Amino acid sequence: MEYKKVIQICEKFIEKGELNRFLFEFEMKCYTKINDFDKVLELINLYGTKHEKTYFMEFLEARINLIQGNYEDLDSFLNKSVDFKELGWSLSKEFYNLFYLRNSTSPKLLEFLFEIRRIYKNHVYAHEWFIIEMLRLNLDFVNPLKID
């Protein structure tokens, strides 16, 4: 895909005052593909002057902060109160992964892991994800059949 051409089209709409969320998010994805993270942050801030940032934008900003080593801003995002039910399955996992990458030894990881598993216990991949994350954290499983 020719991202620069797509970006030019998006820019024309934005110059005309079109602050459509989907247009902004599409343009942000294009800039992400060409690794122009400063422009992505600029767009997020521009959108934020008129509208509340979407979860997509907040998470994109957090990923960029991680990549660029802006840990103060990333920590500010990660230390906010989080409602995993409101975030949905995918963003809950993404929050968990961002937190893991920044705080791989934090006891909060286990809290988040169990909370996400509890909320999404009926999701088709929840149990598999839970086991993989437990292994990544290098935690022993409790075998309910084995009693010492």
Side-chain angles (χ1 to χ4, degrees), residues 85-114:
K85 198 173 214 171
E86 186 177 323
L87 286 180
W89 167 249
S90 295
L91 288 179
S92 292
K93 289 188 315 175
E94 184 165 351
F95 182 89
Y96 175 87
N97 284 326
L98 284 169
F99 196 92
Y100 174 85
L101 291 170
R102 184 69 180 122
N103 306 289
S104 64
T105 59
S106 172
K108 281 185 121 181
L109 276 171
L110 201 54
E111 290 175 36
F112 292 156
L113 182 62
F114 277 96

PDB file of all heavy atoms in Angstrom, residues 85-114:
ATOM      1  N   LYS A  85     -13.583  -4.796  31.860  1.00  0.00           N
ATOM      2  CA  LYS A  85     -14.869  -5.098  31.223  1.00  0.00           C
ATOM      3  C   LYS A  85     -15.180  -4.048  30.152  1.00  0.00           C
ATOM      4  O   LYS A  85     -15.626  -4.373  29.057  1.00  0.00           O
ATOM      5  CB  LYS A  85     -15.973  -5.132  32.278  1.00  0.00           C
ATOM      6  CG  LYS A  85     -17.214  -5.820  31.834  1.00  0.00           C
ATOM      7  CD  LYS A  85     -18.180  -5.966  32.985  1.00  0.00           C
ATOM      8  CE  LYS A  85     -18.929  -7.269  32.819  1.00  0.00           C
ATOM      9  NZ  LYS A  85     -19.734  -7.609  33.949  1.00  0.00           N
ATOM     10  N   GLU A  86     -14.908  -2.796  30.488  1.00  0.00           N
ATOM     11  CA  GLU A  86     -15.158  -1.704  29.538  1.00  0.00           C
ATOM     12  C   GLU A  86     -14.186  -1.751  28.358  1.00  0.00           C
ATOM     13  O   GLU A  86     -14.544  -1.434  27.233  1.00  0.00           O
ATOM     14  CB  GLU A  86     -15.034  -0.355  30.254  1.00  0.00           C
ATOM     15  CG  GLU A  86     -15.406   0.824  29.393  1.00  0.00           C
ATOM     16  CD  GLU A  86     -15.333   2.139  30.155  1.00  0.00           C
ATOM     17  OE1 GLU A  86     -15.678   2.178  31.341  1.00  0.00           O
ATOM     18  OE2 GLU A  86     -14.911   3.127  29.534  1.00  0.00           O
ATOM     19  N   LEU A  87     -12.953  -2.156  28.614  1.00  0.00           N
ATOM     20  CA  LEU A  87     -11.957  -2.219  27.543  1.00  0.00           C
ATOM     21  C   LEU A  87     -12.269  -3.295  26.514  1.00  0.00           C
ATOM     22  O   LEU A  87     -11.919  -3.159  25.348  1.00  0.00           O
ATOM     23  CB  LEU A  87     -10.561  -2.494  28.111  1.00  0.00           C
ATOM     24  CG  LEU A  87      -9.856  -1.356  28.819  1.00  0.00           C
ATOM     25  CD1 LEU A  87      -8.497  -1.817  29.309  1.00  0.00           C
ATOM     26  CD2 LEU A  87      -9.714  -0.153  27.916  1.00  0.00           C
ATOM     27  N   GLY A  88     -12.880  -4.361  26.945  1.00  0.00           N
ATOM     28  CA  GLY A  88     -13.106  -5.486  26.046  1.00  0.00           C
ATOM     29  C   GLY A  88     -11.916  -6.440  26.089  1.00  0.00           C
ATOM     30  O   GLY A  88     -10.867  -6.147  26.657  1.00  0.00           O
ATOM     31  N   TRP A  89     -12.101  -7.597  25.483  1.00  0.00           N
ATOM     32  CA  TRP A  89     -11.112  -8.671  25.534  1.00  0.00           C
ATOM     33  C   TRP A  89      -9.769  -8.245  24.938  1.00  0.00           C
ATOM     34  O   TRP A  89      -8.727  -8.384  25.561  1.00  0.00           O
ATOM     35  CB  TRP A  89     -11.693  -9.887  24.817  1.00  0.00           C
ATOM     36  CG  TRP A  89     -10.723 -10.976  24.511  1.00  0.00           C
ATOM     37  CD1 TRP A  89     -10.282 -11.346  23.275  1.00  0.00           C
ATOM     38  CD2 TRP A  89     -10.055 -11.833  25.439  1.00  0.00           C
ATOM     39  NE1 TRP A  89      -9.397 -12.387  23.389  1.00  0.00           N
ATOM     40  CE2 TRP A  89      -9.234 -12.707  24.705  1.00  0.00           C
ATOM     41  CE3 TRP A  89     -10.068 -11.951  26.826  1.00  0.00           C
ATOM     42  CZ2 TRP A  89      -8.445 -13.678  25.296  1.00  0.00           C
ATOM     43  CZ3 TRP A  89      -9.278 -12.929  27.418  1.00  0.00           C
ATOM     44  CH2 TRP A  89      -8.476 -13.769  26.659  1.00  0.00           C
ATOM     45  N   SER A  90      -9.768  -7.729  23.724  1.00  0.00           N
ATOM     46  CA  SER A  90      -8.512  -7.411  23.031  1.00  0.00           C
ATOM     47  C   SER A  90      -7.708  -6.324  23.732  1.00  0.00           C
ATOM     48  O   SER A  90      -6.495  -6.465  23.930  1.00  0.00           O
ATOM     49  CB  SER A  90      -8.787  -6.995  21.586  1.00  0.00           C
ATOM     50  OG  SER A  90      -9.315  -8.071  20.869  1.00  0.00           O
ATOM     51  N   LEU A  91      -8.368  -5.238  24.101  1.00  0.00           N
ATOM     52  CA  LEU A  91      -7.632  -4.152  24.757  1.00  0.00           C
ATOM     53  C   LEU A  91      -7.224  -4.522  26.182  1.00  0.00           C
ATOM     54  O   LEU A  91      -6.201  -4.039  26.672  1.00  0.00           O
ATOM     55  CB  LEU A  91      -8.438  -2.854  24.744  1.00  0.00           C
ATOM     56  CG  LEU A  91      -8.543  -2.171  23.378  1.00  0.00           C
ATOM     57  CD1 LEU A  91      -9.382  -0.902  23.480  1.00  0.00           C
ATOM     58  CD2 LEU A  91      -7.172  -1.863  22.799  1.00  0.00           C
ATOM     59  N   SER A  92      -7.974  -5.382  26.819  1.00  0.00           N
ATOM     60  CA  SER A  92      -7.566  -5.861  28.151  1.00  0.00           C
ATOM     61  C   SER A  92      -6.249  -6.616  28.047  1.00  0.00           C
ATOM     62  O   SER A  92      -5.330  -6.414  28.838  1.00  0.00           O
ATOM     63  CB  SER A  92      -8.636  -6.761  28.767  1.00  0.00           C
ATOM     64  OG  SER A  92      -9.794  -6.030  29.075  1.00  0.00           O
ATOM     65  N   LYS A  93      -6.149  -7.486  27.044  1.00  0.00           N
ATOM     66  CA  LYS A  93      -4.896  -8.221  26.827  1.00  0.00           C
ATOM     67  C   LYS A  93      -3.770  -7.265  26.455  1.00  0.00           C
ATOM     68  O   LYS A  93      -2.642  -7.436  26.910  1.00  0.00           O
ATOM     69  CB  LYS A  93      -5.064  -9.263  25.720  1.00  0.00           C
ATOM     70  CG  LYS A  93      -5.924 -10.433  26.087  1.00  0.00           C
ATOM     71  CD  LYS A  93      -5.894 -11.519  25.030  1.00  0.00           C
ATOM     72  CE  LYS A  93      -6.024 -10.952  23.647  1.00  0.00           C
ATOM     73  NZ  LYS A  93      -5.885 -11.906  22.574  1.00  0.00           N
ATOM     74  N   GLU A  94      -4.085  -6.264  25.653  1.00  0.00           N
ATOM     75  CA  GLU A  94      -3.047  -5.308  25.267  1.00  0.00           C
ATOM     76  C   GLU A  94      -2.560  -4.511  26.475  1.00  0.00           C
ATOM     77  O   GLU A  94      -1.369  -4.280  26.633  1.00  0.00           O
ATOM     78  CB  GLU A  94      -3.544  -4.357  24.187  1.00  0.00           C
ATOM     79  CG  GLU A  94      -2.441  -3.431  23.732  1.00  0.00           C
ATOM     80  CD  GLU A  94      -2.738  -2.706  22.449  1.00  0.00           C
ATOM     81  OE1 GLU A  94      -3.725  -3.009  21.773  1.00  0.00           O
ATOM     82  OE2 GLU A  94      -1.943  -1.812  22.133  1.00  0.00           O
ATOM     83  N   PHE A  95      -3.491  -4.092  27.342  1.00  0.00           N
ATOM     84  CA  PHE A  95      -3.087  -3.376  28.556  1.00  0.00           C
ATOM     85  C   PHE A  95      -2.169  -4.264  29.391  1.00  0.00           C
ATOM     86  O   PHE A  95      -1.120  -3.837  29.867  1.00  0.00           O
ATOM     87  CB  PHE A  95      -4.313  -2.960  29.380  1.00  0.00           C
ATOM     88  CG  PHE A  95      -3.947  -2.187  30.610  1.00  0.00           C
ATOM     89  CD1 PHE A  95      -3.819  -0.809  30.561  1.00  0.00           C
ATOM     90  CD2 PHE A  95      -3.704  -2.839  31.813  1.00  0.00           C
ATOM     91  CE1 PHE A  95      -3.448  -0.098  31.690  1.00  0.00           C
ATOM     92  CE2 PHE A  95      -3.339  -2.137  32.945  1.00  0.00           C
ATOM     93  CZ  PHE A  95      -3.211  -0.759  32.877  1.00  0.00           C
ATOM     94  N   TYR A  96      -2.582  -5.513  29.561  1.00  0.00           N
ATOM     95  CA  TYR A  96      -1.785  -6.466  30.333  1.00  0.00           C
ATOM     96  C   TYR A  96      -0.379  -6.583  29.737  1.00  0.00           C
ATOM     97  O   TYR A  96       0.622  -6.570  30.456  1.00  0.00           O
ATOM     98  CB  TYR A  96      -2.484  -7.828  30.359  1.00  0.00           C
ATOM     99  CG  TYR A  96      -1.666  -8.897  31.026  1.00  0.00           C
ATOM    100  CD1 TYR A  96      -1.733  -9.086  32.394  1.00  0.00           C
ATOM    101  CD2 TYR A  96      -0.787  -9.694  30.282  1.00  0.00           C
ATOM    102  CE1 TYR A  96      -0.962 -10.065  33.016  1.00  0.00           C
ATOM    103  CE2 TYR A  96      -0.011 -10.661  30.897  1.00  0.00           C
ATOM    104  CZ  TYR A  96      -0.103 -10.840  32.260  1.00  0.00           C
ATOM    105  OH  TYR A  96       0.670 -11.790  32.879  1.00  0.00           O
ATOM    106  N   ASN A  97      -0.295  -6.716  28.416  1.00  0.00           N
ATOM    107  CA  ASN A  97       1.009  -6.864  27.762  1.00  0.00           C
ATOM    108  C   ASN A  97       1.873  -5.621  27.908  1.00  0.00           C
ATOM    109  O   ASN A  97       3.081  -5.722  28.140  1.00  0.00           O
ATOM    110  CB  ASN A  97       0.836  -7.231  26.288  1.00  0.00           C
ATOM    111  CG  ASN A  97       0.457  -8.673  26.114  1.00  0.00           C
ATOM    112  OD1 ASN A  97       0.885  -9.535  26.863  1.00  0.00           O
ATOM    113  ND2 ASN A  97      -0.378  -8.948  25.128  1.00  0.00           N
ATOM    114  N   LEU A  98       1.286  -4.448  27.770  1.00  0.00           N
ATOM    115  CA  LEU A  98       2.043  -3.212  27.985  1.00  0.00           C
ATOM    116  C   LEU A  98       2.553  -3.135  29.421  1.00  0.00           C
ATOM    117  O   LEU A  98       3.700  -2.771  29.668  1.00  0.00           O
ATOM    118  CB  LEU A  98       1.182  -1.982  27.671  1.00  0.00           C
ATOM    119  CG  LEU A  98       0.954  -1.654  26.205  1.00  0.00           C
ATOM    120  CD1 LEU A  98      -0.131  -0.599  26.058  1.00  0.00           C
ATOM    121  CD2 LEU A  98       2.246  -1.186  25.560  1.00  0.00           C
ATOM    122  N   PHE A  99       1.674  -3.496  30.353  1.00  0.00           N
ATOM    123  CA  PHE A  99       2.074  -3.477  31.759  1.00  0.00           C
ATOM    124  C   PHE A  99       3.200  -4.478  31.994  1.00  0.00           C
ATOM    125  O   PHE A  99       4.169  -4.191  32.689  1.00  0.00           O
ATOM    126  CB  PHE A  99       0.872  -3.791  32.664  1.00  0.00           C
ATOM    127  CG  PHE A  99       1.099  -3.413  34.090  1.00  0.00           C
ATOM    128  CD1 PHE A  99       0.732  -2.171  34.547  1.00  0.00           C
ATOM    129  CD2 PHE A  99       1.703  -4.297  34.972  1.00  0.00           C
ATOM    130  CE1 PHE A  99       0.957  -1.806  35.883  1.00  0.00           C
ATOM    131  CE2 PHE A  99       1.935  -3.957  36.293  1.00  0.00           C
ATOM    132  CZ  PHE A  99       1.561  -2.698  36.752  1.00  0.00           C
ATOM    133  N   TYR A 100       3.089  -5.649  31.396  1.00  0.00           N
ATOM    134  CA  TYR A 100       4.127  -6.675  31.529  1.00  0.00           C
ATOM    135  C   TYR A 100       5.475  -6.163  30.986  1.00  0.00           C
ATOM    136  O   TYR A 100       6.515  -6.350  31.615  1.00  0.00           O
ATOM    137  CB  TYR A 100       3.714  -7.946  30.794  1.00  0.00           C
ATOM    138  CG  TYR A 100       4.797  -8.990  30.762  1.00  0.00           C
ATOM    139  CD1 TYR A 100       4.963  -9.865  31.827  1.00  0.00           C
ATOM    140  CD2 TYR A 100       5.681  -9.086  29.690  1.00  0.00           C
ATOM    141  CE1 TYR A 100       5.975 -10.819  31.829  1.00  0.00           C
ATOM    142  CE2 TYR A 100       6.694 -10.035  29.677  1.00  0.00           C
ATOM    143  CZ  TYR A 100       6.841 -10.893  30.751  1.00  0.00           C
ATOM    144  OH  TYR A 100       7.855 -11.818  30.753  1.00  0.00           O
ATOM    145  N   LEU A 101       5.450  -5.562  29.819  1.00  0.00           N
ATOM    146  CA  LEU A 101       6.685  -5.072  29.208  1.00  0.00           C
ATOM    147  C   LEU A 101       7.362  -4.001  30.056  1.00  0.00           C
ATOM    148  O   LEU A 101       8.581  -3.869  30.047  1.00  0.00           O
ATOM    149  CB  LEU A 101       6.412  -4.543  27.801  1.00  0.00           C
ATOM    150  CG  LEU A 101       6.053  -5.617  26.781  1.00  0.00           C
ATOM    151  CD1 LEU A 101       5.556  -4.979  25.490  1.00  0.00           C
ATOM    152  CD2 LEU A 101       7.232  -6.543  26.518  1.00  0.00           C
ATOM    153  N   ARG A 102       6.570  -3.260  30.788  1.00  0.00           N
ATOM    154  CA  ARG A 102       7.118  -2.175  31.629  1.00  0.00           C
ATOM    155  C   ARG A 102       7.392  -2.628  33.054  1.00  0.00           C
ATOM    156  O   ARG A 102       8.289  -2.131  33.707  1.00  0.00           O
ATOM    157  CB  ARG A 102       6.134  -1.005  31.629  1.00  0.00           C
ATOM    158  CG  ARG A 102       6.607   0.198  32.375  1.00  0.00           C
ATOM    159  CD  ARG A 102       7.775   0.877  31.682  1.00  0.00           C
ATOM    160  NE  ARG A 102       8.181   2.023  32.470  1.00  0.00           N
ATOM    161  CZ  ARG A 102       9.400   2.185  32.955  1.00  0.00           C
ATOM    162  NH1 ARG A 102      10.352   1.320  32.689  1.00  0.00           N
ATOM    163  NH2 ARG A 102       9.684   3.236  33.686  1.00  0.00           N
ATOM    164  N   ASN A 103       6.613  -3.578  33.559  1.00  0.00           N
ATOM    165  CA  ASN A 103       6.678  -3.975  34.974  1.00  0.00           C
ATOM    166  C   ASN A 103       6.632  -5.492  35.113  1.00  0.00           C
ATOM    167  O   ASN A 103       5.750  -6.029  35.780  1.00  0.00           O
ATOM    168  CB  ASN A 103       5.492  -3.384  35.743  1.00  0.00           C
ATOM    169  CG  ASN A 103       5.365  -1.898  35.597  1.00  0.00           C
ATOM    170  OD1 ASN A 103       6.158  -1.151  36.124  1.00  0.00           O
ATOM    171  ND2 ASN A 103       4.363  -1.460  34.850  1.00  0.00           N
ATOM    172  N   SER A 104       7.565  -6.187  34.524  1.00  0.00           N
ATOM    173  CA  SER A 104       7.473  -7.647  34.442  1.00  0.00           C
ATOM    174  C   SER A 104       7.556  -8.368  35.787  1.00  0.00           C
ATOM    175  O   SER A 104       7.259  -9.552  35.866  1.00  0.00           O
ATOM    176  CB  SER A 104       8.546  -8.195  33.501  1.00  0.00           C
ATOM    177  OG  SER A 104       9.831  -7.928  34.013  1.00  0.00           O
ATOM    178  N   THR A 105       7.929  -7.680  36.842  1.00  0.00           N
ATOM    179  CA  THR A 105       8.003  -8.326  38.153  1.00  0.00           C
ATOM    180  C   THR A 105       6.948  -7.811  39.134  1.00  0.00           C
ATOM    181  O   THR A 105       6.953  -8.185  40.296  1.00  0.00           O
ATOM    182  CB  THR A 105       9.405  -8.130  38.780  1.00  0.00           C
ATOM    183  OG1 THR A 105       9.650  -6.728  38.909  1.00  0.00           O
ATOM    184  CG2 THR A 105      10.482  -8.771  37.922  1.00  0.00           C
ATOM    185  N   SER A 106       6.043  -6.988  38.656  1.00  0.00           N
ATOM    186  CA  SER A 106       5.031  -6.395  39.538  1.00  0.00           C
ATOM    187  C   SER A 106       3.991  -7.427  39.966  1.00  0.00           C
ATOM    188  O   SER A 106       3.490  -8.198  39.147  1.00  0.00           O
ATOM    189  CB  SER A 106       4.328  -5.244  38.824  1.00  0.00           C
ATOM    190  OG  SER A 106       3.234  -4.789  39.588  1.00  0.00           O
ATOM    191  N   PRO A 107       3.629  -7.421  41.259  1.00  0.00           N
ATOM    192  CA  PRO A 107       2.552  -8.308  41.736  1.00  0.00           C
ATOM    193  C   PRO A 107       1.203  -7.976  41.095  1.00  0.00           C
ATOM    194  O   PRO A 107       0.319  -8.819  41.040  1.00  0.00           O
ATOM    195  CB  PRO A 107       2.504  -8.061  43.242  1.00  0.00           C
ATOM    196  CG  PRO A 107       3.675  -7.239  43.585  1.00  0.00           C
ATOM    197  CD  PRO A 107       4.246  -6.671  42.336  1.00  0.00           C
ATOM    198  N   LYS A 108       1.065  -6.748  40.557  1.00  0.00           N
ATOM    199  CA  LYS A 108      -0.192  -6.364  39.910  1.00  0.00           C
ATOM    200  C   LYS A 108      -0.458  -7.209  38.667  1.00  0.00           C
ATOM    201  O   LYS A 108      -1.605  -7.375  38.270  1.00  0.00           O
ATOM    202  CB  LYS A 108      -0.171  -4.883  39.521  1.00  0.00           C
ATOM    203  CG  LYS A 108      -0.432  -3.939  40.651  1.00  0.00           C
ATOM    204  CD  LYS A 108      -0.516  -2.534  40.132  1.00  0.00           C
ATOM    205  CE  LYS A 108      -1.872  -1.988  40.479  1.00  0.00           C
ATOM    206  NZ  LYS A 108      -2.088  -0.645  40.000  1.00  0.00           N
ATOM    207  N   LEU A 109       0.591  -7.720  38.062  1.00  0.00           N
ATOM    208  CA  LEU A 109       0.396  -8.553  36.871  1.00  0.00           C
ATOM    209  C   LEU A 109      -0.513  -9.735  37.166  1.00  0.00           C
ATOM    210  O   LEU A 109      -1.411 -10.045  36.386  1.00  0.00           O
ATOM    211  CB  LEU A 109       1.745  -9.074  36.354  1.00  0.00           C
ATOM    212  CG  LEU A 109       2.514  -8.145  35.446  1.00  0.00           C
ATOM    213  CD1 LEU A 109       3.913  -8.683  35.205  1.00  0.00           C
ATOM    214  CD2 LEU A 109       1.790  -7.946  34.146  1.00  0.00           C
ATOM    215  N   LEU A 110      -0.267 -10.367  38.276  1.00  0.00           N
ATOM    216  CA  LEU A 110      -1.079 -11.521  38.655  1.00  0.00           C
ATOM    217  C   LEU A 110      -2.524 -11.097  38.934  1.00  0.00           C
ATOM    218  O   LEU A 110      -3.463 -11.782  38.522  1.00  0.00           O
ATOM    219  CB  LEU A 110      -0.473 -12.214  39.873  1.00  0.00           C
ATOM    220  CG  LEU A 110      -0.873 -13.655  40.099  1.00  0.00           C
ATOM    221  CD1 LEU A 110      -0.625 -14.504  38.871  1.00  0.00           C
ATOM    222  CD2 LEU A 110      -0.145 -14.231  41.289  1.00  0.00           C
ATOM    223  N   GLU A 111      -2.694  -9.966  39.568  1.00  0.00           N
ATOM    224  CA  GLU A 111      -4.050  -9.440  39.808  1.00  0.00           C
ATOM    225  C   GLU A 111      -4.766  -9.205  38.483  1.00  0.00           C
ATOM    226  O   GLU A 111      -5.925  -9.590  38.317  1.00  0.00           O
ATOM    227  CB  GLU A 111      -3.983  -8.117  40.576  1.00  0.00           C
ATOM    228  CG  GLU A 111      -3.545  -8.216  42.003  1.00  0.00           C
ATOM    229  CD  GLU A 111      -3.405  -6.836  42.638  1.00  0.00           C
ATOM    230  OE1 GLU A 111      -4.219  -5.938  42.319  1.00  0.00           O
ATOM    231  OE2 GLU A 111      -2.477  -6.655  43.442  1.00  0.00           O
ATOM    232  N   PHE A 112      -4.061  -8.542  37.557  1.00  0.00           N
ATOM    233  CA  PHE A 112      -4.649  -8.270  36.246  1.00  0.00           C
ATOM    234  C   PHE A 112      -4.980  -9.564  35.517  1.00  0.00           C
ATOM    235  O   PHE A 112      -6.038  -9.693  34.909  1.00  0.00           O
ATOM    236  CB  PHE A 112      -3.712  -7.424  35.390  1.00  0.00           C
ATOM    237  CG  PHE A 112      -3.519  -6.012  35.864  1.00  0.00           C
ATOM    238  CD1 PHE A 112      -2.377  -5.313  35.511  1.00  0.00           C
ATOM    239  CD2 PHE A 112      -4.461  -5.370  36.634  1.00  0.00           C
ATOM    240  CE1 PHE A 112      -2.186  -4.010  35.924  1.00  0.00           C
ATOM    241  CE2 PHE A 112      -4.278  -4.060  37.075  1.00  0.00           C
ATOM    242  CZ  PHE A 112      -3.139  -3.381  36.710  1.00  0.00           C
ATOM    243  N   LEU A 113      -4.075 -10.514  35.575  1.00  0.00           N
ATOM    244  CA  LEU A 113      -4.252 -11.790  34.896  1.00  0.00           C
ATOM    245  C   LEU A 113      -5.517 -12.490  35.381  1.00  0.00           C
ATOM    246  O   LEU A 113      -6.353 -12.921  34.579  1.00  0.00           O
ATOM    247  CB  LEU A 113      -3.024 -12.668  35.122  1.00  0.00           C
ATOM    248  CG  LEU A 113      -2.995 -14.022  34.450  1.00  0.00           C
ATOM    249  CD1 LEU A 113      -3.023 -13.877  32.941  1.00  0.00           C
ATOM    250  CD2 LEU A 113      -1.761 -14.792  34.881  1.00  0.00           C
ATOM    251  N   PHE A 114      -5.689 -12.579  36.694  1.00  0.00           N
ATOM    252  CA  PHE A 114      -6.862 -13.248  37.241  1.00  0.00           C
ATOM    253  C   PHE A 114      -8.143 -12.459  36.981  1.00  0.00           C
ATOM    254  O   PHE A 114      -9.191 -13.044  36.720  1.00  0.00           O
ATOM    255  CB  PHE A 114      -6.684 -13.510  38.744  1.00  0.00           C
ATOM    256  CG  PHE A 114      -5.904 -14.756  39.024  1.00  0.00           C
ATOM    257  CD1 PHE A 114      -4.549 -14.697  39.278  1.00  0.00           C
ATOM    258  CD2 PHE A 114      -6.525 -16.001  39.020  1.00  0.00           C
ATOM    259  CE1 PHE A 114      -3.816 -15.848  39.523  1.00  0.00           C
ATOM    260  CE2 PHE A 114      -5.808 -17.167  39.262  1.00  0.00           C
ATOM    261  CZ  PHE A 114      -4.441 -17.085  39.515  1.00  0.00           C
TER     262      PHE A 114
END
